[in-house]
Amino acid sequence: MSDSVGSLDFNSFFNIINGGTVSSAVTQHGINPANKEPNPPVPVASPAELDKAVAAAQVAFEQWSRFPLEDRRKALFAYSDALNAEKDGFTSLLTKEQGKPLSQAAVEVEMAVAWIKGLASLEIPEVVLEDSSERKIVQRFTPIGVAAAIVPWNFPVLLAIGKVASALITGNSIIVKPSPFTPYTALKLAELAIPFFPPGLFQALNGDDQLGPWMTRHPGIRKVSFTGSTLTGKRIALACAETFKHCTLELGGNDPAIICKDVDLDALVPKVCMMIKRLYVHESVYETFRDKLAAYVKTLLVGNGVQPDVFFGPVQNEMQYNKARDLLSSISAEGLRPALGGTVEESAGYFIHPTIIDNPPDTARVVTEEAFAPILPLMKWQTEEEVIARANADPTGLGGSVWSRDLDQAQRLASRLECGSVWINSHFAVAPHVPFGGRKESGNGVEWGVDGLKAYCNPQTVWIFKNA
């Protein structure tokens, strides 16, 4: 291992197996969603290459799991510094493969740098359950073995790093499978890691639709961490059950936000343009808020993420783009009223202009379906009981927020939201030391925080009898 690394080449891409770069006879490529031009070719892993990666990961695990915690932490800190040194290259690559504006891509890469050190700084304490003159009973947490990280296309850098850092600091090895839509940054994250860790400890494989099922059923993989759709998560849970794999699932969400009548509307409007999927606004301020929000969103630029001041980049891929177009078609089919947008403008990329729907019924598709596009339904509410029931009616439960100057009211409402994370006067604040996960059909288990680290461990109870 080393504590330094040379400059990365961001033009050629390889699978990373056992500390080396690996090409393959079969390749595929992603698409730059801003212009529909092909990105560079990437290798497609075979079952034999997966077997090699798992075998290498098993060897690396046996070595790494015996490393002292401080040595593991030191290696991860050095890797974080290397990522920080390459952040400009990763930022540009992320925009090219994912589509998000450079400013947002830079934030994601910077968060990944911080997440490595934040997660590596955590410790899982042993718990003394009993300590008497006769015996001592301790619960400790030991690494599982080889983990698999299946990463989505929306935050391909941060979500990969969260899984990798959690696995490695707890003594495991890991194989990352990126989304085939966004394979590039994940492969480079693993390539960047080569000098810092034993061969086989942190590997990455790009593949076609068969690679995920191969990984979830592979007998040598003991833990799967998946972020993605609820439907795929259910399939992964079934596959993991066949070999009793540990399984963490962070799945889809249709996040509600509740706006109370006492908010400062001018201060609030710029804060609600990210992550919120359903927006419930108290009827007494609804029209004013709707008009202010529409006027503000209208000023936000849509375009190629490499252009300055762009806020809305393209939808990431053709499949999601077509889903968004179909969802927009429901506006006229269901007789809904757009307060902004509502149509698709032809362009060189997968661009959807922001759309705000004015008080649709709760049964409207724009309310019930999660849109990975800037399509936001605004609904009126009258009573707390009513809005809580409506917010909780969705089968998912990832996140939710309440916005109010009255913190008693806000906390009362927040305590009844059925979701894994609840924010008051914010939405989607996250930190590496804070667990993140969903309820209901938004998943099982958490990532990040001490509880997230424990998900990469087996609990073990040690009984020590002192008078043997």
Side-chain angles (χ1 to χ4, degrees):
M1 295 189 300
S2 171
D3 58 1
S4 64
V5 68
S7 180
L8 279 181
D9 172 11
F10 285 97
N11 297 306
S12 301
F13 298 87
F14 309 93
N15 285 331
I16 307 301
I17 301 175
N18 200 22
T21 56
V22 178
S23 302
S24 69
V26 179
T27 63
Q28 61 187 29
H29 61 80
I31 298 293
N32 184 332
N35 55 27
K36 302 181 187 176
E37 293 294 322
N39 284 326
V42 289
V44 175
S46 66
E49 287 169 324
L50 175 60
D51 287 341
K52 289 179 183 178
V54 173
Q58 290 170 326
V59 172
F61 164 70
E62 292 299 329
Q63 178 186 359
W64 182 253
S65 61
R66 294 194 295 269
F67 273 44
L69 175 62
E70 278 305 317
D71 289 354
R72 299 200 297 261
R73 182 174 288 140
K74 180 181 178 181
L76 281 160
F77 271 49
Y79 175 59
S80 176
D81 290 339
L83 177 57
N84 188 56
E86 297 280 4
K87 64 183 178 182
D88 290 343
F90 274 97
T91 296
S92 296
L93 182 61
L94 179 56
T95 291
K96 186 176 180 180
E97 73 168 343
Q98 205 279 338
K100 63 183 61 180
L102 284 170
S103 59
Q104 296 171 25
V107 169
E108 181 175 345
V109 174
E110 290 165 1
M111 289 175 71
V113 171
W115 253 242
I116 298 170
K117 290 187 176 180
L119 289 165
S121 298
L122 299 175
E123 294 190 28
I124 304 176
E126 291 188 347
V127 181
V128 178
L129 303 174
E130 180 181 319
D131 192 2
S132 65
S133 59
E134 176 187 357
R135 66 191 186 188
K136 183 177 182 180
I137 307 171
V138 177
Q139 184 185 41
R140 61 178 188 156
F141 297 86
T142 62
I144 292 172
V146 180
I150 303 178
V151 182
W153 50 260
N154 55 344
F155 290 91
V157 174
L158 179 61
L159 296 181
I161 283 297
K163 300 175 193 298
V164 168
S166 297
L168 298 192
I169 193 60
T170 48
N172 301 280
S173 56
I174 192 163
I175 303 169
V176 174
K177 178 207 165 303
S179 164
F181 295 118
T182 53
Y184 300 95
T185 48
L187 296 180
K188 285 300 170 185
L189 287 170
E191 184 179 340
L192 179 68
I194 290 173
F196 299 98
F197 305 108
L201 192 75
F202 174 9
Q203 304 174 94
L205 298 176
N206 176 66
D208 56 23
D209 291 342
Q210 300 179 84
L211 180 57
W214 290 341
M215 294 177 77
T216 56
R217 289 185 167 85
H218 198 290
I221 293 174
R222 301 307 312 147
K223 155 81 180 184
V224 174
S225 175
F226 170 76
T227 303
S229 73
T230 296
L231 178 61
T232 303
K234 290 178 179 179
R235 293 170 179 164
I236 287 174
L238 289 171
C240 288
E242 293 179 5
T243 49
F244 290 99
K245 287 179 174 61
H246 293 242
C247 185
T248 299
L249 302 171
E250 194 260 281
L251 308 178
N254 196 9
D255 288 10
I258 299 172
I259 309 297
C260 298
K261 61 184 178 181
D262 64 343
V263 295
D264 181 339
L265 296 180
D266 291 319
L268 173 62
V269 161
K271 300 178 181 179
V272 297
C273 295
M274 296 288 285
M275 305 301 176
I276 294 169
K277 307 297 176 64
R278 294 176 289 149
L279 196 50
Y280 297 93
V281 183
H282 193 271
E283 62 177 1
S284 64
V285 295
Y286 177 87
E287 282 79 11
T288 303
F289 177 84
R290 177 199 61 202
D291 296 344
K292 286 179 178 290
L293 180 64
Y296 174 76
V297 173
K298 203 171 185 178
T299 68
L300 302 176
L301 295 181
V302 178
N304 191 319
V306 301
Q307 297 171 344
D309 301 322
V310 165
F311 186 87
F312 293 107
V315 175
Q316 199 285 315
N317 57 72
E318 183 178 18
M319 179 179 69
Q320 293 298 333
Y321 177 70
N322 288 335
K323 286 182 179 179
R325 288 176 63 117
D326 182 60
L327 194 58
L328 287 175
S329 71
S330 73
I331 296 173
S332 58
E334 298 180 16
L336 307 181
R337 299 184 305 274
L340 179 69
T343 59
V344 178
E345 301 178 20
E346 294 303 321
S347 64
Y350 300 129
F351 292 100
I352 298 290
H353 284 252
T355 295
I356 298 173
I357 308 301
D358 184 6
N359 203 31
D362 290 350
T363 55
R365 287 181 57 200
V366 294
V367 178
T368 61
E369 297 181 21
E370 181 183 14
F372 284 102
I375 302 171
L376 179 65
L378 256 62
M379 287 84 71
K380 297 179 182 179
W381 66 273
Q382 293 180 320
T383 70
E384 291 188 8
E385 289 297 323
E386 162 227 330
V387 74
I388 287 295
R390 294 166 68 192
N392 288 337
D394 197 86
T396 63
L398 189 58
S401 61
V402 180
W403 303 73
S404 176
R405 293 179 181 178
D406 182 346
L407 293 183
D408 290 335
Q409 180 189 31
Q411 291 180 71
R412 183 171 65 247
L413 289 167
S415 70
R416 298 182 62 190
L417 286 176
E418 297 173 355
C419 48
S421 294
V422 183
W423 300 275
I424 293 175
N425 296 326
S426 180
H427 200 99
F428 204 68
V430 290
H433 64 286
V434 179
F436 183 83
R439 294 187 188 178
K440 301 190 290 188
E441 291 196 2
S442 286
N444 180 37
V446 297
E447 300 277 6
W448 312 340
V450 171
D451 286 342
L453 298 192
K454 288 180 179 179
Y456 289 85
C457 299
N458 285 309
Q460 183 181 64
T461 305
V462 181
W463 295 67
I464 305 166
F465 287 85
K466 302 176 179 180
N467 301 316

